[in-house]
């Protein structure tokens, strides 16, 4: 099938799996959440400045909730994030 004047930036969609989301949190902050020292706040992951735009549902999440901001999120990823008490925010 022909595609006239195909521009690749329309198809830019780098993906990240759920098991890699924890590695995107800074190390000091991640250690505090994993140890249970911080329970009053939730880490916010804005994936666009980190170079990712889509979240896929492979892997497990940690026991603390996350706020994930991304352009695209798969159904399974959204289900797993909300089960842990997190929130998914879609960003333009």
């Amino acid at each position: 099938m022909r595609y006239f004047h195909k521009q690749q930036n329309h198809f830019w969609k780098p993906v990240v799996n759920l098991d890699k989301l924890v590695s995107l949190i800074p190390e000091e902050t991640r250690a505090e959440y994993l140890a249970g020292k911080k329970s009053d706040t939730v880490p916010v992951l804005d994936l666009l400045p980190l170079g990712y735009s889509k979240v896929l549902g492979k892997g497990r999440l940690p026991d603390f909730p996350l706020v994930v901001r991304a352009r695209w999120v798969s159904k399974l990823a959204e289900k797993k994030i909300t089960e842990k008490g997190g929130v998914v925010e879609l960003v333009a």
Side-chain angles (χ1 to χ4, degrees), residues 15-21 54-59:
V15 297
V16 64
N17 286 315
L18 286 179
D19 54 353
K20 301 296 181 191
L21 285 182
K54 185 170 184 174
V55 182
L56 299 178
K58 180 185 172 190

Side-chain angles (χ1 to χ4, degrees), residues 2 8 10 15-16 21 25-27 33-35 41 44 57-59 66 68 73 76 79 84 88 92:
R2 294 186 293 180
Q8 290 298 326
H10 295 287
V15 297
V16 64
L21 285 182
I25 301 172
E27 195 168 331
Y33 282 109
L34 288 174
T41 59
V44 178
K58 180 185 172 190
L66 292 170
V68 179
V73 181
L76 183 60
K79 178 184 168 193
K84 292 286 184 173
V88 175

Side-chain angles (χ1 to χ4, degrees), residues 9-48:
N9 56 347
H10 295 287
F11 302 100
W12 179 83
K13 198 182 293 188
V15 297
V16 64
N17 286 315
L18 286 179
D19 54 353
K20 301 296 181 191
L21 285 182
V22 180
S23 65
L24 298 176
I25 301 172
E27 195 168 331
E28 298 170 353
T29 312
R30 183 180 347 138
E32 291 175 354
Y33 282 109
L34 288 174
K37 295 178 183 176
K38 282 192 170 184
S39 60
D40 56 341
T41 59
V42 177
V44 178
L45 278 175
D46 194 2
L47 296 179
L48 284 178

Side-chain angles (χ1 to χ4, degrees), residues 61-73:
L61 282 173
D63 292 330
F64 56 88
L66 292 170
V67 175
V68 179
R69 293 179 177 172
R71 283 193 183 162
W72 295 284
V73 181

